Amino acid sequence: MELKDEFFKYVSKNYKDIAFTDRSDTLFPDVETGYSSVKIVYNKAYHSLDMRFQGMGDYESLFGKYVYPILMRYRDFSVWKMASARVIRVKVPCINLETGFIEEDCDEQLERVRTLMEILSQIDVAGMYTEQRALRKEMIKDEYAIMVETQEYVSEFNKEINDRMHERILVGADPFGKKGLLYRLSCMQKGINAFIVDHADFITKNKDTTCVILLMKYKKETDNMIKEIL
């Protein structure tokens, strides 16, 4: 059995609460968090897991305001800037062709993922990005910029909702899988509600545009999927 197949067979059996997105360029897949702007990725260069907050690279003080008080309780985790993102990083064992598949190392990686998710659950992600968008608006006032931002958000959310729909089929009646799915959907629901509130004037004024129509459609689909699982 190939190393990657062995890895996926093991995690799909033992870590049903974690949603993965496979990547062709690395053994360890991306981990979906329920927020379109936040993912957990394996960083080959540092043998670390990075919880990546897209768009926060230029907002050091804002990011620190929401993150540092929580990380005081997690001493092994640190904050770094990576291009346009900020990441919460933790070292993990390396799994590669040379080492082969070691269950204990895989367990340590996945437990670190769970700790990152625990940290994320304590961060007011919606509030942080609301403040970030407010700061951006101070620099970019024109409506075209808001339209582009909404289009980008809708595009990312479309990917997320499709992943959750596919995941809903896979988890079936499994209670642990449903629990993880419900958590990710709830995070998505909080994020899209915050986005709608933050852009209420623009959405009301442009309610007949494609991006706003799609935004409200995806909100409804997310709400309905949560009701179905509950």
Side-chain angles (χ1 to χ4, degrees):
M1 183 184 296
E2 291 188 4
L3 182 62
K4 195 164 192 175
D5 293 335
E6 194 172 358
F7 174 86
F8 270 102
K9 180 179 179 181
Y10 184 77
V11 299
S12 63
K13 177 182 178 181
N14 296 284
Y15 295 92
K16 294 180 179 179
D17 56 314
I18 301 174
F20 296 101
T21 298
D22 191 11
R23 290 172 53 189
S24 60
D25 61 332
T26 182
L27 167 66
F28 196 86
D30 289 350
V31 177
E32 301 295 332
T33 66
Y35 294 101
S36 60
S37 299
V38 185
K39 292 187 186 299
I40 298 172
V41 303
Y42 178 67
N43 190 324
K44 292 187 292 184
Y46 298 99
H47 299 311
S48 67
L49 290 179
D50 289 357
M51 185 155 66
R52 184 179 298 164
F53 294 76
Q54 293 293 345
M56 296 303 300
D58 295 328
Y59 299 88
E60 180 179 7
S61 297
L62 175 62
F63 189 73
K65 169 185 170 182
Y66 283 88
V67 170
Y68 283 129
I70 295 167
L71 285 190
M72 291 293 290
R73 301 189 293 274
Y74 300 87
R75 296 293 186 173
D76 293 339
F77 296 75
S78 56
V79 173
W80 297 79
K81 182 180 185 295
M82 297 290 288
S84 63
R86 295 220 168 244
V87 304
I88 297 175
R89 176 174 294 166
V90 62
K91 292 284 188 178
V92 292
C94 174
I95 299 177
N96 55 36
L97 293 174
E98 288 72 29
T99 63
F101 182 76
I102 302 172
E103 288 188 4
E104 291 80 4
D105 288 348
C106 183
D107 287 334
E108 184 172 341
Q109 278 198 4
L110 273 297
E111 288 303 324
R112 290 297 198 178
V113 168
R114 283 175 168 166
T115 303
L116 283 168
M117 295 295 284
E118 177 184 309
I119 292 170
L120 183 63
S121 71
Q122 300 172 67
I123 299 173
D124 183 3
V125 177
M128 182 172 67
Y129 275 97
T130 295
E131 283 200 46
Q132 186 243 26
R133 288 191 291 270
L135 291 173
R136 286 179 61 188
K137 284 181 183 178
E138 291 178 6
M139 297 180 288
I140 306 174
K141 298 288 186 180
D142 61 287
E143 191 171 282
Y144 175 75
I146 302 176
M147 176 70 79
V148 171
E149 181 184 5
T150 305
Q151 290 172 340
E152 292 174 347
Y153 186 86
V154 165
S155 177
E156 288 296 320
F157 204 92
N158 178 44
K159 298 174 186 176
E160 293 287 332
I161 194 69
N162 285 336
D163 287 345
R164 298 292 78 77
M165 288 178 174
H166 179 64
E167 184 183 353
R168 179 70 184 96
I169 296 171
L170 294 178
V171 300
D174 182 273
F176 294 102
K178 289 173 70 175
K179 181 180 178 182
L181 174 59
L182 185 59
Y183 173 80
R184 286 179 281 281
L185 284 169
S186 298
C187 291
M188 289 170 62
Q189 185 184 58
K190 291 178 184 177
I192 199 168
N193 286 340
F195 188 94
I196 290 170
V197 169
D198 191 49
H199 296 76
D201 291 340
F202 171 81
I203 290 170
T204 300
K205 185 178 179 181
N206 297 275
K207 61 183 179 180
D208 295 325
T209 59
T210 301
C211 66
V212 173
I213 291 172
L214 288 174
L215 180 72
M216 304 311 292
K217 173 178 177 287
Y218 296 151
K219 169 179 165 48
K220 184 177 180 180
E221 289 177 352
T222 304
D223 293 344
N224 287 342
M225 202 181 307
I226 290 174
K227 291 177 183 177
E228 176 191 342
I229 296 171
L230 292 174

